[in-house]
Structure formats: structure tokens, C-alpha cells
Amino acid sequence: MRVFAVLSFALLLLPLAGAAQEAPLPQRGQYVGWVLPESYAKTPDAGDTFYPRGESSAQFNERIRILQRDVPGAPDADGYLSTLASAYGQGCPAMRTESLFSETVDGIDNAVQMWHCPARTDDGFGTVVLVKAIVDHPTIFLARASGRFPPYQRGASPLPESMLNNWAAFLNSFILCRNRLNPSCLPEPTELADAPVTEPAPLEDLAVELAQQRGTMMHRKDQLARRATEILGAQKSLRWKNKVRGWVTVLDEDGVDVVWFMGGSRRRPRPYYAIVFEPGGDGRFYDRNKYDASDRAIAMFRARESALAVMERACTASVNTVVLKHESNVGWLVYVLSAGTAADEVHIGGHTRYAVDEDGKRVLETETLSDSCLVLKKTPRNSADEPDVWYSMTHIQSPTPLETHLFQSLNHRLRFFVHTSSGDWRVEDGAINKLTL
């Protein structure tokens, strides 16, 4: 393994005007954000320096450094990097500098340069440096990925393509955190796992309570529908099986829960089979000649069909539906949910909520509950003793997590971190809690 040391930025940060002032080390997500390459890990007591796994300050082949300096009167980012390159070139007569990117957006200068040194005078080794500067006057944020190699010919580059791609992805992720939902600026999962719960604002609290009620009810109805589908599938000689279009779950009707499998049309829904769950029971099968569908069940199925009739897009070939009574006790909420067939997939995106009138004939409102078709892949667990995995996601549709987050958390028995414009939230065990860091 090659062992090398790269010059510290402390030797390179020469101000163009005025004196560079020491500034606190940048905290990820506070002013700037970044995403380390997967091969890297946090190194204890390394401060602003990061190394690939298995390497350390005592022995390493490459490293990444992130620094913050206050430089009164500093020029644009590319000019500042050129000054740093001149200082670095004092130890490398054959140094080659290339300006790869320079742009000013909303008054913020960004620049990226690459420095090639075939052989340094202090140790004889060659180096390659990819460095980015962000100037937010008077502060300059710097990110530098560097490696050291055996001496090489001038005009050549010993940098492997895989290493270059890792460095480039890292520098692209290095940004000012003006949008807290940018992946580069999100808190680390380890921070969130131990973060204390805080009291949400009054309006947030109301929204969270509603999401918890709806999500819990969705989960209860969906679980009954799953059991009912299994019971129906175990029946033989189902006369009207091919006419079934879907189902609705009616809770606590005359002391029992009923999952109705229906068909027909929106104008004339036709009940075919019922699975009736008495308290503590496993579910009993009835056909339509032995169990009558209530007006409530008919209206719910009609509402379901009305929602599906206006559905414009779907993230999956098949969808799941759940129908809830609106909290006003007038009308229905119909959820059309993405539903995949792979057991290791969790569909977070692609869900839509429809508000439908009391008789189920007219859709009053359509609300898309996500901005994408996000699908999470479950991390396999080798034993029941392994700790649960946390899954992290951003959500821009509302300032608080929705009932669909809780629903999927309960359905798959997973724990979520949901990042919104109002903060960071933890979803687990049927509850949604706001976190403070």
C-alpha cells in the first residue's frame, strides 16, 4: 500500500487582500453540505479530513479535506484557487493547472480546478488535486480531494477513472445549504437516531395528529383486506370471481368488520362476496345471496371507482386502494396507492388522495401526496437480533409527514426519517415525532 502525505490547506490559504481569519470548521448541513464517496468513512479525531475505509492520517492513499476561511477582500472563486495553485506550485516546478469550472449564481462564486504535479521537490512523489471553492463574502468554503502517486510524465495523469468519478461526485455535492432539503445538507442518520423529540408548532401538531389517525386506519383496513383476499382465494368454485373489480373495507358495521368484493359499474356497484370479521375472529366467507351489502358499503365502492376513473398517472402497473370516511363525517377519502410485486420494495411515492362526495359519484378534490415515484429497497436482515434499519427521505408536498408515511411504516414495520421544510421527523411504531438537533 502506498503511504503519502498531502500538503495541508493551512499552507495554501494565502489571502489576496487582508489577512485570512480562522473560522470554525464547517459543520455539514449548517453552512455547507456534502456527500462523501461510499468508500469513505468518518475518521475519529480527524476534524476536517476524511479518509477511505481502512486508512487514516498515519497511512493513506487519498483523502478529502473541507475547510472554511474568512478572507476580507477575496476575489472570485477561480482567482482565489489560482492563488492557491501558485503557492502549491512552489514545490512543483512542472505543475500543470487546469480550470474546470467557474460560475457565479445569485452572487455566489463557484470554481473547480485540477492540479497535476508529476514530482514534488520535497519527496519526489507525484500528486493530483481536485479542489472546489465557494465564495460567500467574506467567507470561502473549500473542498479538496487529493492523491499521491509514483512520479509520472508531464502532461499525463495517473488518476484512475474510478477515483476521479468519486472525487467529481463529491465536489458536485459540495454546496451552500440554502435549501435544507438538499441531500447534501441533510443530517446524518446517526445524528437523527439519537436526536431528542421536540414539540411541533400548533398547526404542525394538528396535521400530525390527523396523519396518525388516517395512517393507522388505513393500515387497519389494508390488513383486513389482505386477510380477506387470502380467505377468498382459498374458496372453490367462485361463480362471480372474474366479475370482481375491487374491494372496500367497512369497519364496525353492526359490531363486525366486513371486506366486500364488488364489481359492476359506478352507477350500479354489484356486491359479490363478503368476508366478515367478528371481534377476535378469523373471518367468515359469504356470497351475495347470504349477506347483504349496506348502503354505506355501496357508496364506498362507488367512491373508489370514481377516484380510479379520474386517475391520471400511476407509478406502478397495479394500485392499491383504501377508502376512509372523511373527518367531517360527510363524504369519503379515497387513497390510490402505488403497489409493487417485489417483497423488498417499499413504495413511498406515487400515492394520491381523492375527496369524494357522500354518495360516491363526484370527485371534489385531488391531491398528489408525493413529488416522485420514490421506491425504497429493504435492507435484508440476517437475524432477528440485528438492529432495525432507518430509511431516510425528503418530502416537499407538506411541512409535516403524511398518513402515507405512517401507513407504509406500519405495513412494512420500518422506521423512517422524513425531512420536510419545517424540520426532521421520525416515523415509527405508529407515531410521528419532530426531532431537534
Side-chain angles (χ1 to χ4, degrees), residues 254-300:
D254 297 327
V256 297
D257 300 329
V258 185
V259 178
W260 274 103
F261 293 87
M262 299 189 186
S265 64
R266 275 191 293 161
R267 292 186 177 182
R268 292 193 60 187
R270 293 183 64 86
Y272 290 112
Y273 307 109
I275 309 298
V276 180
F277 294 89
E278 297 182 357
D282 292 331
R284 180 177 296 181
F285 169 82
Y286 294 90
D287 65 24
R288 67 180 184 181
N289 296 323
K290 297 181 180 179
Y291 203 89
D292 293 330
S294 64
D295 292 341
R296 180 183 178 190
I298 296 295
M300 289 174 66

Side-chain angles (χ1 to χ4, degrees), residues 349-426:
H351 310 315
T352 306
R353 180 175 61 215
Y354 300 88
V356 186
D357 66 2
E358 183 67 16
D359 62 11
K361 294 180 179 179
R362 188 163 61 97
V363 174
L364 305 175
E365 183 180 3
T366 301
E367 187 170 2
T368 302
L369 301 183
S370 65
D371 192 51
S372 70
C373 296
L374 175 63
V375 180
L376 301 180
K377 288 285 188 178
K378 290 185 186 178
T379 299
R381 296 176 61 187
N382 297 322
S383 73
D385 297 330
E386 291 186 49
D388 289 335
V389 177
W390 286 99
Y391 296 84
S392 183
M393 64 203 73
T394 58
H395 174 66
I396 65 174
Q397 302 299 98
S398 63
T400 58
L402 297 175
E403 55 266 38
T404 45
H405 295 111
L406 190 75
F407 170 72
Q408 293 291 49
S409 173
L410 289 170
N411 265 9
H412 296 274
R413 298 181 182 179
L414 297 178
R415 306 187 297 179
F416 297 153
F417 291 128
V418 182
H419 309 284
T420 74
S421 60
S422 69
D424 305 299
W425 303 80
R426 189 161 56 211

Side-chain angles (χ1 to χ4, degrees), residues 35-317:
V35 178
L36 289 174
E38 290 185 1
S39 58
Y40 276 70
K42 281 191 171 181
T43 306
D45 303 321
D48 59 350
T49 308
F50 304 92
Y51 302 93
R53 291 180 179 85
E55 301 185 9
S56 67
S57 58
Q59 191 175 38
F60 61 92
N61 296 314
E62 60 175 304
R63 71 177 179 181
I64 283 173
R65 301 200 70 190
I66 298 170
L67 290 175
Q68 172 183 342
R69 292 290 184 270
D70 289 336
V71 186
D76 61 30
D78 195 56
Y80 190 76
L81 289 181
S82 295
T83 300
L84 301 188
S86 297
Y88 192 76
Q90 292 176 9
C92 181
M95 179 171 162
R96 176 167 55 91
T97 302
E98 184 179 2
S99 181
L100 303 180
F101 174 83
S102 181
E103 187 176 47
T104 301
V105 180
D106 296 331
I108 304 299
D109 292 318
N110 295 261
V112 176
Q113 290 187 7
M114 178 173 280
W115 308 336
H116 280 89
C117 178
R120 291 196 58 81
T121 57
D122 53 358
D123 56 19
F125 283 87
T127 59
V128 179
V129 178
L130 191 64
V131 58
K132 180 177 182 177
I134 301 175
V135 179
D136 187 17
H137 294 289
T139 303
I140 297 179
F141 299 98
L142 290 158
R144 187 178 87 164
S146 57
R148 181 167 145 175
F149 308 89
Y152 55 93
Q153 294 295 319
R154 186 172 186 175
S157 176
L159 189 65
E161 184 177 358
S162 59
M163 190 180 293
L164 174 61
N165 290 338
N166 279 342
W167 289 2
F170 160 68
L171 290 188
N172 283 336
S173 77
F174 183 68
I175 62 169
L176 283 184
C177 286
R178 291 184 163 183
N179 176 5
R180 72 172 309 275
L181 295 183
N182 190 294
S184 297
C185 303
L186 296 177
E188 297 285 356
T190 51
E191 297 178 71
L192 294 169
D194 299 324
V197 173
T198 187
E199 193 71 26
L203 289 179
E204 293 173 353
D205 192 45
L206 291 174
V208 166
E209 183 178 354
L210 185 60
Q212 290 180 157
Q213 292 174 356
R214 289 176 174 177
T216 301
M217 188 66 68
M218 290 170 67
H219 174 66
R220 180 183 171 190
K221 287 196 169 193
D222 186 71
Q223 293 303 300
L224 284 172
R226 288 174 185 266
R227 290 167 58 190
T229 302
E230 293 173 355
I231 294 171
L232 186 70
Q235 305 301 311
K236 297 179 180 179
S237 302
L238 293 175
R239 180 179 177 184
W240 300 291
K241 180 179 179 180
N242 293 334
K243 295 185 178 182
V244 171
R245 291 172 54 87
W247 62 86
V248 289
T249 304
V250 185
L251 298 180
D252 195 22
E253 188 168 59
D254 297 327
V256 297
D257 300 329
V258 185
V259 178
W260 274 103
F261 293 87
M262 299 189 186
S265 64
R266 275 191 293 161
R267 292 186 177 182
R268 292 193 60 187
R270 293 183 64 86
Y272 290 112
Y273 307 109
I275 309 298
V276 180
F277 294 89
E278 297 182 357
D282 292 331
R284 180 177 296 181
F285 169 82
Y286 294 90
D287 65 24
R288 67 180 184 181
N289 296 323
K290 297 181 180 179
Y291 203 89
D292 293 330
S294 64
D295 292 341
R296 180 183 178 190
I298 296 295
M300 289 174 66
F301 189 79
R302 185 182 289 120
R304 173 192 184 274
E305 294 299 289
S306 294
L308 290 174
V310 300
M311 180 180 68
E312 293 185 355
R313 71 179 182 96
C315 291
T316 52

